[in-house]
Amino acid sequence: MKVSVELFGAAREFSNKAHLDFELVENSSIKDLRNQMIDFVDLNFKGNETFKKIIKSSAFCSSDDKIVSDNYKIVKKQNFSIIPPIGGG
Amino acid sequence: MLHAKIIDTSKNESIEISKAENFLNQSKFGAIIYFVGTVRDLNENKSVTGITYDTKDSMVIRSFEEIYEDADNKLSIKDKAVFIEHVKGYVGLKEKSIIIGVACKHRDQAFVLSRYIIEEIKKRSPIWKKEHYKNEESEWLKGISLNN
């Protein structure tokens, strides 16, 4: 199933587009999605450690703006956002 | 009473203190405080020329609403008016990135509430800063992880 991840903050450096799409098997979790994003960085950015650190320290939120844990099961085609560490003001 | 808005500089919008004054100036309040955040020219020994702010708008507005509501419970300041605007997009030196205006009956409440709101925004609102430097490099600043 296709999962789209909207990019924010430092994660915007991962693509010229506002989002990245990933193909996950059913019953995957946010942890699996996180690992796929790390694989994406390995493949496209020669394992850029800064990018990987961003992914590891980021939260993910669902399309209704709720932060979801690594154990959250993705059961259908869904959109998420990656929320890197914040710091406005 | 809360006003919460994202100001998009790419649409030539900007923060105007007069709008906060119009919203907050009411006869039932005896104390009004404005906190205005601006872009400064030096950070960690780097010469800054501007900052690009990124926001997840819907979550930012909701966080402002939750912070406002939490002030009822945590600070017991029920009678208040709060005006919060934060920019998204590029902001140059000395330009405003955030305004928090609070109106309360008494000054003690207004000082406490103003400080509470800015500190909570730093911890809870999904906003990111990309600093631009004189040497034409730029960098996303480190922040607080929401991944608990």
Side-chain angles (χ1 to χ4, degrees), chain A residues 1-7 11 14-25 32-41 43-44 60 74 77-82:
Chain A
M1 63 192 164
K2 190 175 136 187
V3 169
S4 183
V5 179
E6 196 174 1
L7 305 172
F14 300 169
S15 176
N16 292 328
K17 295 188 293 183
H19 63 93
L20 287 172
D21 294 330
F22 296 94
E23 195 64 37
L24 294 176
V25 295
D32 297 321
L33 176 61
R34 193 188 296 277
N35 287 335
Q36 273 226 19
M37 290 192 76
I38 290 169
D39 291 345
F40 170 85
V41 168
L43 195 65
N44 295 281
F60 286 82
I74 308 166
K77 182 182 171 184
Q78 260 181 288
N79 297 329
F80 294 93
S81 299
I82 183 168

Side-chain angles (χ1 to χ4, degrees), chain B:
Chain B
M1 207 166 62
L2 171 68
H3 165 94
K5 189 178 178 189
I6 304 289
I7 300 295
D8 189 345
T9 61
S10 72
K11 296 176 182 169
N12 285 325
E13 297 175 351
S14 61
I15 290 172
E16 294 171 32
I17 295 174
S18 60
K19 287 184 182 169
E21 287 173 338
N22 289 337
F23 183 80
L24 297 170
N25 198 352
Q26 302 173 41
S27 58
K28 64 179 175 179
F29 299 124
I32 299 176
I33 288 177
Y34 301 103
F35 168 79
V36 177
T38 56
V39 176
R40 70 172 185 275
D41 64 0
L42 195 66
N43 188 29
E44 296 183 347
N45 288 324
K46 292 178 182 170
S47 293
V48 176
T49 56
I51 296 177
T52 299
Y53 286 86
D54 191 17
T55 58
K56 180 155 177 41
D57 295 8
S58 54
M59 280 181 83
V60 169
I61 295 297
R62 200 177 74 189
S63 72
F64 291 171
E65 291 166 353
E66 287 172 355
I67 291 166
Y68 174 85
E69 286 162 14
D70 285 353
D72 282 355
N73 305 321
K74 293 185 178 165
L75 305 176
S76 294
I77 303 173
K78 298 206 182 296
D79 208 359
K80 60 186 180 298
V82 174
F83 184 100
I84 309 173
E85 291 187 345
H86 199 296
V87 296
K88 70 186 288 187
Y90 181 81
V91 184
L93 292 181
K94 300 192 289 182
E95 292 178 345
K96 301 174 195 72
S97 59
I98 183 171
I99 182 169
I100 299 168
V102 304
C104 298
K105 282 189 173 177
H106 306 290
R107 67 182 182 282
D108 285 352
Q109 297 170 322
F111 277 117
V112 168
L113 181 58
S114 175
R115 183 66 191 260
Y116 175 80
I117 291 170
I118 182 62
E119 299 303 335
E120 291 300 309
I121 287 173
K122 293 268 185 191
K123 287 187 278 188
R124 292 162 63 170
S125 302
I127 301 169
W128 301 270
K129 288 180 189 180
K130 188 180 196 179
E131 275 187 348
H132 303 279
Y133 305 113
K134 257 188 182 163
N135 62 7
E136 297 190 349
E137 288 180 357
S138 59
E139 181 181 36
W140 290 98
L141 299 189
K142 292 185 178 71
I144 298 169
S145 177
L146 295 184
N147 186 22
N148 297 317

Side-chain angles (χ1 to χ4, degrees), chain A:
Chain A
M1 63 192 164
K2 190 175 136 187
V3 169
S4 183
V5 179
E6 196 174 1
L7 305 172
F8 288 96
R12 287 197 187 274
E13 305 298 329
F14 300 169
S15 176
N16 292 328
K17 295 188 293 183
H19 63 93
L20 287 172
D21 294 330
F22 296 94
E23 195 64 37
L24 294 176
V25 295
E26 283 205 20
N27 276 322
S28 293
S29 65
I30 290 296
K31 188 178 180 183
D32 297 321
L33 176 61
R34 193 188 296 277
N35 287 335
Q36 273 226 19
M37 290 192 76
I38 290 169
D39 291 345
F40 170 85
V41 168
D42 279 334
L43 195 65
N44 295 281
F45 297 99
K46 297 178 182 171
N48 185 311
E49 287 301 326
T50 303
F51 286 4
K52 290 208 267 192
K53 201 172 167 185
I54 290 163
I55 296 167
K56 287 173 186 172
S57 60
S58 289
F60 286 82
C61 77
S62 54
S63 53
D64 58 355
D65 287 343
K66 297 229 167 67
I67 301 285
V68 289
S69 74
D70 265 19
N71 296 327
Y72 180 92
K73 289 289 178 195
I74 308 166
V75 293
K76 58 179 183 194
K77 182 182 171 184
Q78 260 181 288
N79 297 329
F80 294 93
S81 299
I82 183 168
I83 308 293
I86 60 167

